Amino acid sequence: MTDLQQLKNIKLDYEDNIAIVQLNQENSKVNILSRKMMNEFVPVFNHLKNDDNIKGIIVISAKPGSFIAGADINMFESVKSRDELYQMSRNGQEIMNQIEQSSKPIIAAIAGSCLGGGFEVALACHYRIAMNDKRTGFGVPEVKLGLLPGAGGTQRLLKNLSLSDALDLILAGKEIKAKKAKAMGLVDILVEPIRSDVQDIEEQNIEYLRSIAIRKVKEIVVQKPTKRKFGLMENIKSIIMLNSYVRNYILSQAQAKVMSQTQGLYPAPLKILDVIQQTLENGSKVGLNAEAEAFADLAITNEAKALISLFHGRTECKKNKYGKPEREIKTIAIIGAGAIGAGIAHVSIDKDFQVILYDTTSSALYHGQSQIIKSYQNYIKRNRITSTEYSRILSNLNCQTTFDNLEKCDIIIESVFEDLKLKQNILNELEQYIPEHCIFASNTYILSIHQIAANSRRPHKVIGMHYFSPVDKVELLEIIRAKQTSDNTICTAVSVGLKQGKIIIIVNDSPGFYTTRLLIFSFIELFYLLQEGLLPNDIDKATKKFGFHIGLAILLDSGVASRVAIGQLPPKSNSIAT
Ligand SMILES: CCCCCCCCCCCCC[C@H](O)CC(=O)SCCNC(=O)CCNC(=O)[C@H](O)C(C)(C)COP(=O)(O)OP(=O)(O)OC[C@H]1O[C@@H](n2cnc3c(N)ncnc32)[C@H](O)[C@@H]1OP(=O)(O)O
Ligand SMILES: NC(=O)c1ccc[n+]([C@@H]2O[C@H](COP(=O)([O-])OP(=O)(O)OC[C@H]3O[C@@H](n4cnc5c(N)ncnc54)[C@H](O)[C@@H]3O)[C@@H](O)[C@H]2O)c1
């Protein structure tokens, strides 16, 4: 029996006859539906349900940036049997049903990530108020873990959305921002954050959200909530959905898309389609059972285990194990405004770095600058940013063909042609202009960092930062430490990469580093296959069927890959450093 005076993960507050359940997972950056959290939530909820003095309930988080990040992923890994997983899903569904069926209004006041099981909690509540800020996002990313929403999420999304919108969210696992969630009818009220430079602004915003939720729940207590009115288009859509021919057509289209994107290698999206079909044909009772069966089936697959392990790996790669850099990095100079240099500028200017983009000629510079401007203009078109944000972001970009202002730089990222002599000369020349603390990173995919730094006055400040094309889309960043590279240089490069939104691996300065070395092996095999008479097209089909995003032969056709394939570099030892 949980003592309500001894709660560790929930703070229970009251204002008049309203209860405020504030989630605050102990020792964690985010709230998760862990066993510990559930062991407190369930008794708290039962207590409030039975207390006649309580007329309404608010569920809110005390953690800036996190409402609930979903069920505890580690919990699935610790489970011993399929039956236990089935029961876990059934229990989750039951808790959500109890929330939904509560006679007292329950409001979810959401700021920060509202994902997976967290979104399922929000959907079970009677009303959703969300902070309209960058950190607040909704989604069911379970498919990315090889799972499906297992606490009634498939059913509630189908109830709240059109079939195609529900499929879009569940199959892609993508996150939508609060504004879009409101437009889709998943959120009832948007709250604009208080924008200010004060230090504890996020805590203040939580307080503000809480006050609005209290006002709203009090209103609902007196005048029962009105059901959301569906618009004409939504009504037409739901009538069309009653037609099994239309439903089956949408499902078969979705299935074809899944097959073309995954080659049928991932069981989760196919199971999701199956659960949705069963629900549409037989109703929610059958649907809930199908959801729990599918959840249990999926959670024991090797695919789910591998994808969950990938989640943990990615989380590790978001950490800076070298601590805090000696200096905060404010200004970056990028040398070379080609495809990659412009891409590095792109992912830096929106993170409040001051960027100097340098190239030898105005036309090269113009080319790089246009690439950046075009992408950001596209973001405006797709409502990803406002024109005010666009102006603020672009004001961080300074393009130049001179070495002016390099004395202000904290880091240089060189991204000129792949030529050792050229890279060495640039390093030597720039060392005359840059301040003592400035670090020098070379964006090379294959050249030795040790050799690039051969004539440097401060080789401990030289490092490799290997970005991937297109830089604004590929999350990976390979950081290469040479023997002489200092820990603070690594720490600084990692902190820059993390701020740029990268997932980082740190490797030793050995031939091909890590990523290029893997490619070399693949290309050696590819050459054997070509020599044996296989056609590039057939090799591409086979590699894609195996799970590659892009065929190996077409990859070889790209300029970078063909140089790798020439293979000056027989791989030696394992290059992963940390
Ligand atoms: C109110 C009570 C109701 C009770 C309901 C009963 C529930 C039981 C039901 C079971 C049935 C299934 C339910 C559900 O459908 C299944 C799921 O929800 S699966 C999980 C889905 N969610 C996700 O995939 C989100 C994963 N997390 C992220 O994407 C990111 O972490 C983030 C939330 C966007 C935050 O990103 P960052 O700010 O960069 O932070 P980090 O990524 O570095 O994370 C910090 C820290 O938190 C750990 N963590 C994050 N999410 C989870 C998680 N879901 N489970 C476990 N741990 C998580 C992460 O590992 C980091 O840990 P650290 O390394 O610091 O120890
Ligand atoms: N393109 C890729 O897929 C890819 C991927 C990873 C790494 N890389 C590496 O990134 C680096 C840049 O690649 P890219 O694809 O952007 O090349 P790119 O040819 O598109 O651009 C190189 C730019 O460097 C400029 N430049 C040349 N000499 C210069 C000098 N002395 N000073 C300043 N600028 C100079 C050129 O004018 C050009 O604009 C290379 O080392 C490449 O191997 C490329």
Side-chain angles (χ1 to χ4, degrees):
M1 182 77 187
T2 307
D3 180 352
L4 297 190
Q5 306 304 319
Q6 301 284 320
L7 299 173
K8 292 196 168 118
N9 301 289
I10 290 178
K11 186 165 170 255
L12 190 52
D13 264 353
Y14 300 93
E15 182 161 325
D16 301 330
N17 48 7
I18 304 302
I20 301 120
V21 179
Q22 197 167 31
L23 309 177
N24 196 0
Q25 185 99 24
E26 214 183 12
N27 303 325
S28 174
K29 183 177 164 193
V30 302
N31 287 315
I32 47 176
L33 304 178
S34 59
R35 287 205 169 89
K36 281 184 187 161
M37 179 63 91
M38 288 187 283
N39 287 343
E40 293 187 9
F41 183 86
V42 174
V44 164
F45 178 63
N46 287 334
H47 164 77
L48 297 175
K49 206 166 67 170
N50 296 325
D51 183 343
D52 290 341
N53 292 322
I54 298 301
K55 302 293 179 212
I57 302 168
I58 292 166
V59 181
I60 192 166
S61 159
K63 290 192 192 292
S66 168
F67 175 66
I68 306 173
D72 181 359
I73 295 170
N74 304 308
M75 188 165 72
F76 311 144
E77 291 173 295
S78 67
V79 165
K80 300 273 177 304
S81 69
R82 184 200 172 278
D83 284 356
E84 211 183 317
L85 287 157
Y86 172 80
Q87 210 41 60
M88 189 184 278
S89 167
R90 280 310 223 173
N91 292 344
Q93 292 176 348
E94 178 53 30
I95 299 171
M96 304 302 171
N97 285 344
Q98 298 236 354
I99 294 176
E100 189 174 66
Q101 285 154 16
S102 158
S103 58
K104 301 175 184 182
I106 306 182
I107 288 194
I110 304 152
S113 304
C114 176
L115 301 174
F119 195 11
E120 292 175 297
V121 171
L123 286 170
C125 291
H126 303 120
Y127 210 81
R128 286 164 288 280
I129 302 180
M131 191 61 85
N132 185 22
D133 63 8
K134 284 211 165 82
R135 296 182 78 182
T136 302
F138 298 81
V140 275
E142 284 86 339
V143 71
K144 295 186 188 163
L145 301 170
L147 304 171
L148 86 172
T154 57
Q155 310 299 302
R156 287 195 177 81
L157 282 169
L158 272 181
K159 265 188 213 146
N160 283 283
L161 294 174
S162 69
L163 176 57
S164 19
D165 282 350
L167 285 172
D168 229 26
L169 276 191
I170 309 176
L171 288 174
K174 70 179 172 203
E175 191 180 314
I176 51 169
K177 293 292 158 205
K179 202 167 166 191
K180 177 139 191 221
K182 166 87 170 66
M184 290 169 89
L186 295 168
V187 160
D188 299 282
I189 298 185
L190 281 184
V191 173
E192 290 306 322
I194 314 163
R195 293 185 203 281
S196 134
D197 289 336
V198 294
Q199 246 190 352
D200 56 354
I201 188 64
E202 299 212 80
E203 282 80 5
Q204 284 193 34
N205 271 321
I206 290 176
E207 272 307 304
Y208 178 51
L209 180 67
R210 172 186 154 123
S211 67
I212 291 181
I214 293 175
R215 206 175 336 134
K216 191 70 213 173
V217 78
K218 284 183 175 171
E219 242 176 75
I220 297 174
V221 168
V222 269
Q223 44 171 171
K224 294 271 178 234
T226 46
K227 274 232 171 282
R228 183 166 84 92
K229 284 199 184 71
F230 289 97
L232 180 65
M233 278 317 287
E234 283 165 310
N235 283 328
I236 294 173
K237 270 196 212 165
S238 48
I239 291 167
I240 294 174
M241 253 342 109
L242 293 175
N243 180 324
S244 63
Y245 175 78
V246 178
R247 278 190 332 232
N248 289 340
Y249 176 74
I250 296 176
L251 287 173
S252 67
Q253 290 291 99
Q255 168 129 1
K257 190 170 166 194
V258 165
M259 288 307 287
S260 101
Q261 284 175 341
T262 68
Q263 322 294 324
L265 293 168
Y266 293 86
L270 298 170
K271 280 267 183 205
I272 289 169
L273 286 168
D274 183 43
V275 168
I276 288 178
Q277 176 137 29
Q278 289 198 51
T279 308
L280 294 172
E281 282 170 7
N282 306 305
S284 188
K285 197 166 171 226
V286 171
L288 278 172
N289 189 50
E291 181 188 270
E293 295 279 6
F295 181 79
D297 284 345
L298 288 171
I300 54 167
T301 58
N302 286 337
E303 287 81 359
K305 286 177 187 153
L307 288 167
I308 287 174
S309 146
L310 200 59
F311 166 76
H312 291 311
R314 284 171 56 90
T315 307
E316 279 309 296
C317 292
K318 286 198 274 182
K319 292 179 180 152
N320 193 343
K321 291 183 192 130
Y322 290 83
K324 224 173 152 220
E326 282 163 14
R327 248 173 197 271
E328 191 193 347
I329 299 294
K330 292 188 177 141
T331 306
I332 304 178
I334 298 163
I335 310 299
I340 304 284
I344 301 169
H346 177 127
V347 298
S348 307
I349 50 176
D350 61 335
K351 313 298 182 324
D352 283 337
F353 285 121
Q354 281 296 315
V355 173
I356 296 172
L357 184 60
Y358 167 88
D359 208 306
T360 44
T361 65
S362 306
S363 67
L365 202 53
Y366 176 75
H367 199 262
Q369 189 180 15
S370 307
Q371 177 186 317
I372 302 167
I373 291 178
K374 220 168 125 193
S375 303
Y376 277 103
Q377 282 176 343
N378 246 326
Y379 290 177
I380 302 186
K381 273 194 211 139
R382 284 165 30 214
N383 281 330
R384 270 181 65 175
I385 54 167
T386 62
S387 32
T388 319
E389 282 168 324
Y390 170 86
S391 307
R392 186 184 55 77
I393 291 168
L394 265 291
S395 72
N396 291 332
L397 181 65
N398 306 284
C399 297
Q400 58 190 52
T401 51
T402 63
F403 288 154
D404 291 349
N405 293 319
L406 289 194
E407 73 283 357
K408 293 184 188 148
C409 284
D410 302 304
I411 178 170
I412 301 276
I413 304 179
E414 164 278 302
S415 188
V416 302
F417 305 133
E418 191 74 12
D419 178 318
L420 179 62
K421 204 83 224 121
L422 178 64
K423 286 182 190 276
Q424 283 175 331
N425 288 344
I426 287 177
L427 166 57
N428 295 343
E429 187 173 6
L430 291 187
E431 279 185 339
Q432 300 168 37
Y433 297 91
I434 56 181
E436 207 41 52
H437 72 271
C438 181
I439 75 167
F440 183 96
S442 177
N443 173 40
T444 169
Y445 68 90
I446 210 158
L447 297 173
S448 152
I449 301 304
H450 179 73
Q451 282 181 23
I452 291 174
N455 306 318
S456 167
R457 281 196 286 114
R458 336 130 334 124
H460 61 289
K461 289 199 188 296
V462 180
I463 193 162
M465 286 176 89
H466 177 196
Y467 291 85
F468 296 82
S469 179
V471 181
D472 57 317
K473 300 214 167 57
V474 182
E475 279 181 310
L476 184 63
L477 169 63
E478 183 175 40
I479 289 188
I480 305 112
R481 62 173 306 173
K483 275 212 177 73
Q484 78 282 344
T485 310
S486 74
D487 280 359
N488 181 56
T489 304
I490 305 170
C491 181
T492 307
V494 173
S495 78
V496 169
L498 287 178
K499 203 163 161 193
Q500 289 169 331
K502 297 292 167 194
I503 299 282
I504 299 171
I505 54 170
I506 303 167
V507 303
N508 285 327
D509 183 23
S510 61
F513 315 136
Y514 178 73
T515 51
T516 307
R517 180 179 295 199
L518 287 185
L519 269 183
I520 292 172
F521 281 117
S522 311
F523 288 136
I524 291 171
E525 274 312 310
L526 175 68
F527 280 127
Y528 282 131
L529 293 173
L530 291 170
Q531 275 173 356
E532 284 166 22
L534 266 82
L535 294 173
N537 235 343
D538 292 335
I539 297 173
D540 277 353
K541 270 194 207 140
T543 40
K544 281 178 89 173
K545 199 166 165 212
F546 182 70
F548 280 43
H549 241 331
I550 152 168
L552 204 50
I554 199 125
L555 188 60
L556 176 71
D557 217 20
S558 76
V560 172
S562 54
R563 288 196 55 189
V564 174
I566 293 166
Q568 318 116 1
L569 305 154
K572 275 194 286 193
S573 59
N574 187 349
S575 66
I576 290 276
T578 50

